[in-house]
Amino acid sequence: MMEVLSMGGYGSFVWSAYGLTIIVLAVCIIGGRMGHTKTINDVRRRIRTMEVKS
Amino acid sequence: MWKFFHKLASPPHFYQFAGKVVPWFAFTAIACIGYGGYAGLFVAPADYQQGDAFRIIYVHVPAAYLSMMGYSIMAISAGIGLIWRIKLSHAVTAAAAPLGAWFTFLALATGSIWGKPMWGTWWEWGDPRLTSELLLLFLYIGYMALRASIDDIAKADKASAVLALVGAVNVPIIHYSVEWWSSLHQGPTLVREGGPGMVSDMLYPLLAMILGFTFLFGALLLGRVRTEVLFRERRAKWVREMLLDDGGTT
């Protein structure tokens, strides 16, 4: 286990690169989903407001 | 074939089509990245020169490749939008920019982390690959800033499309920089005369990661284009019918 974590003495570099990758991909995935949900809600609210006015 | 593409350019058809394709792209991405990540970290042998530090290649190379691919997609769709005035093309360009910027940031950051133990420095201004990749990040940011500064969508599409096209000259510079100028970066490893310069235990995980990242990028891009299409078509009848008919499953 320690051998895997140490990565031949380069553990801090290897794991930080993989950790950063996971964070960036998570930001892309979650950001995209949140943006889509927000747009759907905004457009739906706008349509309902227009229907009430008309 | 042309009929399919012609139909795909229609926003409602694209929206439905992309919604069906995204889960398949995501599933393929998870499978490839799962295998590639595991094999790259735990199965591939250590490099005889770089030791285990070389394992950063499995996240750095796919990110760098997609940073350039993202800009190529932007430039091509911007060109199509300017020439043929296909509305969907501008939506693709706008959706690709933030993703491309994130992957460029990832390529720069993982490259920097890899560079410290191998080159003894986090950053080298004299290296053409590093500086041209940084320029790519600035081009992405500039594109997004330009779009954000113009309220009218049609005007923003045209102005930013020109910037996307002009900036495309940087993509071949990044790719060939290691051949044209002296660089800290190694030359091509995968695509070169005599075949890839890696043993299969190292090569297959890398190919799986590149494929997985590509499918993930595709899934994320299609998802963002759907959002962009929805916003641009918010006054269209099909959007009203779709959003009021279903219970939020779009």
Side-chain angles (χ1 to χ4, degrees):
Chain A
M1 184 63 185
M2 286 307 291
E3 201 176 315
V4 169
L5 284 176
S6 76
M7 284 280 167
Y10 296 112
S12 57
F13 298 105
V14 174
W15 293 116
S16 58
Y18 277 78
L20 186 67
T21 302
I22 290 168
I23 291 168
V24 168
L25 295 185
V27 166
C28 288
I29 294 166
I30 295 167
R33 287 302 308 164
M34 284 174 67
H36 192 69
T37 307
K38 184 180 177 299
T39 305
I40 285 177
N41 291 336
D42 288 350
V43 175
R44 188 177 276 142
R45 197 178 303 120
R46 183 184 165 279
I47 293 168
R48 288 198 174 127
T49 308
M50 283 179 70
E51 284 196 343
V52 168
K53 281 180 182 173
S54 62
Chain B
M1 183 75 171
W2 282 113
K3 199 177 173 184
F4 170 77
F5 281 113
H6 190 259
K7 202 176 170 187
L8 198 62
S10 149
H13 188 264
F14 173 85
Y15 190 88
Q16 299 297 340
F17 174 79
K20 288 174 189 165
V21 169
V22 165
W24 291 101
F25 273 34
F27 176 77
T28 311
I30 290 167
C32 290
I33 293 172
Y35 160 72
Y38 174 78
L41 278 171
F42 307 116
V43 178
D47 183 72
Y48 79 106
Q49 280 183 321
Q50 301 189 28
D52 285 305
F54 103 96
R55 296 181 198 283
I56 296 173
I57 198 174
Y58 296 109
V59 288
H60 174 69
V61 167
Y65 150 70
L66 283 165
S67 70
M68 289 187 281
M69 179 63 79
Y71 203 91
S72 303
I73 292 170
M74 265 178 67
I76 291 167
S77 56
I80 291 172
L82 278 179
I83 296 165
W84 288 292
R85 296 180 183 183
I86 297 172
K87 282 191 286 183
L88 187 64
S89 310
H90 290 302
V92 172
T93 316
L99 276 181
W102 274 117
F103 277 79
T104 307
F105 166 76
L106 189 60
L108 286 167
T110 53
S112 183
I113 292 169
W114 195 4
K116 180 62 181 169
M118 292 301 110
W119 302 336
T121 180
W122 296 103
W123 187 264
E124 175 55 54
W125 283 108
D127 187 87
R129 174 66 62 88
L130 294 182
T131 43
S132 54
E133 185 75 9
L134 183 64
L135 181 63
L136 184 71
L137 180 62
F138 292 154
L139 281 167
Y140 276 122
I141 293 170
Y143 173 89
M144 290 186 286
L146 182 61
R147 281 202 70 85
S149 67
I150 304 171
D151 288 333
D152 184 85
I153 289 182
K155 283 181 186 169
D157 282 343
K158 280 184 189 170
S160 57
V162 172
L163 177 62
L165 279 172
V166 171
V169 73
N170 190 43
V171 175
I173 291 175
I174 297 170
H175 183 74
Y176 291 109
S177 57
V178 291
E179 295 175 29
W180 291 344
W181 301 290
S182 65
S183 170
L184 288 170
H185 270 86
Q186 64 192 61
T189 305
L190 288 177
V191 184
R192 65 176 195 171
E193 270 184 51
M198 297 175 96
V199 294
S200 56
D201 283 351
M202 292 175 169
L203 178 64
Y204 293 151
L206 181 58
L207 294 177
M209 287 297 268
I210 291 172
L211 194 65
F213 269 59
T214 305
F215 273 102
L216 181 63
F217 189 91
L220 292 169
L221 179 61
L222 287 174
R224 282 178 182 265
V225 177
R226 289 181 89 222
T227 308
E228 191 71 29
V229 165
L230 196 65
F231 176 74
R232 287 163 180 253
E233 295 281 305
R234 60 192 180 281
R235 294 182 184 87
K237 191 181 169 191
W238 70 270
V239 171
R240 191 169 66 242
E241 288 173 354
M242 181 185 72
L243 290 184
L244 294 183
D245 285 353
D246 84 352
T249 56
T250 48

